[in-house]
Amino acid sequence: MVRLIVDSGSTKTDWCFAMPDGKFVRINTSGINPAVQAPDIIEGILNNELLPSLTTQAINRNDVGEIYYYGAGCTPDRQPIMHNMLIRTFSSSKTIEVNSDLLAAARALCLRKEGIACILGTGANSCLYDGANIIAQTPALGYILGDEGSGAVLGRNFLNGILKGWLPIELRNLFMSEWQLNVSDIIEKVYREPSPNRFMASITRFIASNMDNYPQLADMVVRNFETFIDVNIQPYLKERTRENVDENAKKIAINAVGSIAFYFKHQLECAANNRGLVVGRIVKSPMQGLVEYHLSM
């Protein structure tokens, strides 16, 4: 029997086939998000990208007996859409589970132990996990109302700093020159062009490459993570205190998946230390942890 573990985001989908001989076959397709894509678009990705790749890799879809799918946009009301798509594609599968990308992060980071799991990438999300399921979640709310700690908010803070002057003028000039932008271009990208969150998150590459020369940038990253901890993580600790969990509850680690957590790990550790917390497992992608979680069942 072949087990299929899927990690899907809006940009790409990672399909990992655990073969009976212990080997793994990885296939990448376009991103899938049932919250923003019509069913026919998703079906096109499955039929035109995934199935031809199965043929290339000599995988018989009828051998796939279990599917564990985790994806962006897989809210409870959208999960049946993906479930039905997978049933049509892998009709011989006896087990098909569709879960959120946040549960993917929790299981990948904490496996079967209790912990705090976070997604820190373009957006940000977090939860308290009991070793099997999410038991508490602070609403993420997106980059306009929330997403503290995310790449989008970090980029937004940077733009605010260079345009309002609380970051050095040399940094503003360097950014404008390297990115060939002016103030009007930035306003256009943020307020009129599609996906402003992705544009702002892309600025984190510039931030990361200039932190050594401009310590103000490192401070800005730490403050972004401190705000994330204050408004997203602290409520979990308060809830545990109300439930009379012992004092060790306060030492529960912050685990995170995503590019922002991965590339700014040191600043995340500084922010956690400033709040009396510790950072645990940090990974760029959840797939390895998901494979470990499901193959240990």
Side-chain angles (χ1 to χ4, degrees), residues 32-273:
I32 295 174
N33 186 331
V36 298
Q37 291 171 317
D40 61 319
I41 299 297
I42 299 173
E43 192 167 17
I45 293 171
L46 297 176
N47 292 336
N48 302 325
E49 297 185 35
L50 178 62
L51 293 184
S53 295
L54 293 184
T55 301
T56 301
Q57 297 289 345
I59 298 175
N60 186 339
R61 58 174 161 169
N62 293 324
D63 292 337
V64 178
E66 297 179 2
I67 301 175
Y68 303 98
Y69 182 99
Y70 300 88
C74 286
T75 53
D77 61 316
R78 297 289 178 171
Q79 288 174 4
I81 296 174
M82 279 310 309
H83 192 273
N84 292 335
M85 294 279 185
L86 293 169
I87 287 176
R88 289 201 291 270
T89 306
F90 299 97
S91 57
S92 298
S93 294
K94 304 301 181 184
T95 299
I96 299 178
E97 293 184 8
V98 178
N99 296 296
S100 69
D101 53 353
L102 185 57
L103 184 59
R107 288 179 171 175
L109 293 165
C110 305
L111 299 177
R112 301 182 186 281
K113 297 180 179 180
E114 181 188 29
I116 291 173
C118 310
I119 298 174
L120 294 172
T122 298
N125 209 343
S126 68
C127 69
L128 181 62
Y129 172 74
D130 68 359
N133 297 294
I134 294 170
I135 58 174
Q137 179 185 0
T138 305
L141 300 181
Y143 70 97
I144 294 177
L145 295 179
D147 270 3
E148 303 85 6
S150 71
V153 169
L154 184 56
R156 185 189 70 193
N157 292 347
F158 172 82
L159 293 176
N160 182 281
I162 63 170
L163 297 180
K164 292 197 173 185
W166 54 265
L167 286 174
I169 186 65
E170 297 86 359
L171 197 57
R172 168 178 170 153
N173 294 338
L174 179 63
F175 175 74
M176 297 292 199
S177 174
E178 285 190 7
W179 285 54
Q180 298 184 337
L181 296 172
N182 56 38
V183 175
S184 296
D185 296 329
I186 292 172
I187 297 301
E188 182 73 19
K189 288 182 174 296
V190 171
Y191 289 102
R192 298 185 181 91
E193 292 186 7
S195 302
N197 57 327
R198 293 184 183 179
F199 162 67
M200 291 186 289
S202 70
I203 296 171
T204 58
R205 298 194 303 271
F206 178 88
I207 295 171
S209 63
N210 286 280
M211 281 196 303
D212 290 343
N213 296 325
Y214 294 92
Q216 300 94 329
L217 292 179
D219 292 341
M220 182 183 69
V221 176
V222 171
R223 290 197 302 273
N224 190 33
F225 286 140
E226 287 175 341
T227 303
F228 170 75
I229 292 170
D230 291 343
V231 301
N232 294 280
I233 303 303
Q234 292 292 354
Y236 306 139
L237 306 182
K238 292 177 181 178
E239 181 65 26
R240 289 166 61 84
T241 300
R242 282 196 294 268
E243 293 176 358
N244 297 317
V245 177
D246 63 45
E247 282 299 309
N248 288 328
K250 296 181 180 179
K251 299 179 181 178
I252 189 169
I254 300 173
N255 306 281
V257 62
S259 58
I260 298 301
F262 186 79
Y263 289 113
F264 295 100
K265 180 181 178 180
H266 175 68
Q267 287 72 34
L268 179 57
E269 290 173 338
C270 289
N273 183 64

Side-chain angles (χ1 to χ4, degrees), residues 11-37:
T11 303
K12 71 178 182 70
T13 302
D14 188 4
W15 308 78
C16 181
F17 295 83
M19 310 303 287
D21 60 3
K23 295 181 180 179
F24 298 95
V25 177
R26 300 278 288 271
I27 294 173
N28 288 322
T29 68
S30 299
I32 295 174
N33 186 331
V36 298
Q37 291 171 317

